[in-house]
Amino acid sequence: MKALKEKSDLELIQAYVAGEEAGIEILLNRYKTKIYTSIYLQVKDEYLAEDIFQETFIKVINTLKSGRYNDEGKFLPWVVRIAQNMVIDHFRKAKRSPTVVSSDGYDIFGVLEFADESAESKLVLNQRNVDLRKIIQRLPDDQKEVLIMRHFCDMSFKEIADITEVSINTALGRMRYALNNLRKMIEEHNMMMNLG
C-alpha cells in the first residue's frame, strides 16, 4: 500500500484498471477535498454536494473500467470537469439558479445585509438578489461557467483553462465578455425598473 501511495495519478489509474482496487481509493483520497469543495461552493448544500460527488466518482469509475479514459497526466482537471457537468445537469433538472457563494463559503447575497433593515428594504434587497441571480443565469454557458469558477470557486485562470480545455487567453476572454454582458444586463434591468 505504501508503494502504491507514492505512484503518479496515471500509475494509480493503470493499477486500478489492472484490478488493483486500492488505486482508485488512493486517487479518491488524494483529491476528494478539492473536488467536493468545488461542488459544494456551487450547490451550497452538503447533502446535495455529497450526492453529486458520489455520482461524479461513479462516472469516473465507469469511464476508467470501460477503458475510455485518455487524459494522461490531467486526472484532477478531468474529474473536476465531470463534477462541473454534474452540477450544471443538476441545475438544469432543478430549473433554478445556483446560490452565489464567496470563497469563504458565504452566500454573497446573505452577506449584503444592512444593520437596521425595514421590511420594505428587505423586500427590495431580496428582489435585487433574485434579479442578479436571474441575470447571471442569462449569460451564455461558457461565460457563466468561467464567472462561477473564478469568483465563486476561487480558481485561477490556469485551473479554469485546464478544466474547460481551452487556452488561458480564451478563459480570460470569456471572463471579460461575462463581465461586460453582466454590466449591460444590469444597466438594462435598472432602466426597465426605473420605467416600470
Side-chain angles (χ1 to χ4, degrees):
M1 192 77 161
K2 176 91 170 102
L4 211 52
K5 280 186 179 174
E6 293 164 5
K7 292 188 182 250
S8 71
D9 293 352
L10 186 57
E11 289 170 323
L12 288 169
I13 290 165
Q14 289 167 342
Y16 175 67
V17 171
E20 182 77 54
E21 291 292 322
I24 196 72
E25 194 180 318
I26 292 165
L27 278 169
L28 176 68
N29 288 330
R30 190 175 281 177
Y31 296 118
K32 100 176 137 190
T33 304
K34 283 184 178 177
I35 296 162
Y36 176 83
T37 303
S38 78
I39 296 167
Y40 178 78
L41 286 172
Q42 291 179 76
V43 300
K44 203 179 173 232
D45 177 309
E46 61 187 83
Y47 299 110
L48 178 58
E50 188 63 42
D51 285 349
I52 293 174
F53 177 79
Q54 287 174 6
E55 286 174 33
T56 299
F57 262 87
I58 289 168
K59 194 162 192 170
V60 165
I61 287 167
N62 290 339
T63 304
L64 293 176
K65 282 193 171 176
S66 69
R68 292 190 323 254
Y69 176 75
N70 59 7
D71 284 336
E72 292 183 20
K74 295 180 182 171
F75 180 75
L76 179 61
W78 174 67
V79 176
V80 171
R81 180 72 178 165
I82 291 172
Q84 289 287 339
N85 289 337
M86 295 286 205
V87 169
I88 290 165
D89 287 348
H90 166 76
F91 286 122
R92 274 196 194 118
K93 283 180 199 154
K95 287 194 167 111
R96 62 185 179 87
S97 60
T99 303
V100 181
V101 180
S102 68
S103 58
D104 50 0
Y106 291 102
D107 183 339
I108 297 289
F109 304 118
V111 176
L112 298 174
E113 289 181 4
F114 302 104
D116 70 51
E117 288 183 285
S118 66
E120 185 184 340
S121 68
K122 274 186 182 173
L123 197 63
V124 169
L125 184 63
N126 284 342
Q127 185 58 48
R128 216 180 289 149
N129 296 346
V130 169
D131 292 343
L132 184 56
R133 285 194 181 121
K134 283 181 184 168
I135 291 169
I136 289 171
Q137 287 307 304
R138 286 172 36 207
L139 287 172
D141 283 346
D142 57 348
Q143 294 174 22
K144 182 171 36 179
E145 184 178 50
V146 172
L147 181 80
I148 289 171
M149 286 183 190
R150 178 74 182 136
H151 283 286
F152 310 123
C153 293
D154 217 20
M155 296 174 115
S156 71
F157 281 105
K158 176 163 184 5
E159 290 170 317
I160 293 168
D162 287 346
I163 289 167
T164 57
E165 298 171 350
V166 297
S167 70
I168 291 177
N169 283 343
T170 300
L172 287 164
R174 287 177 181 174
M175 185 66 182
R176 190 168 45 252
Y177 286 126
L179 294 174
N180 286 341
N181 285 335
L182 264 183
R183 197 173 300 118
K184 281 181 202 159
M185 288 190 282
I186 289 169
E187 285 169 9
E188 285 169 16
H189 180 77
N190 287 342
M191 283 191 336
M192 296 299 285
M193 294 298 280
N194 291 338
L195 292 174

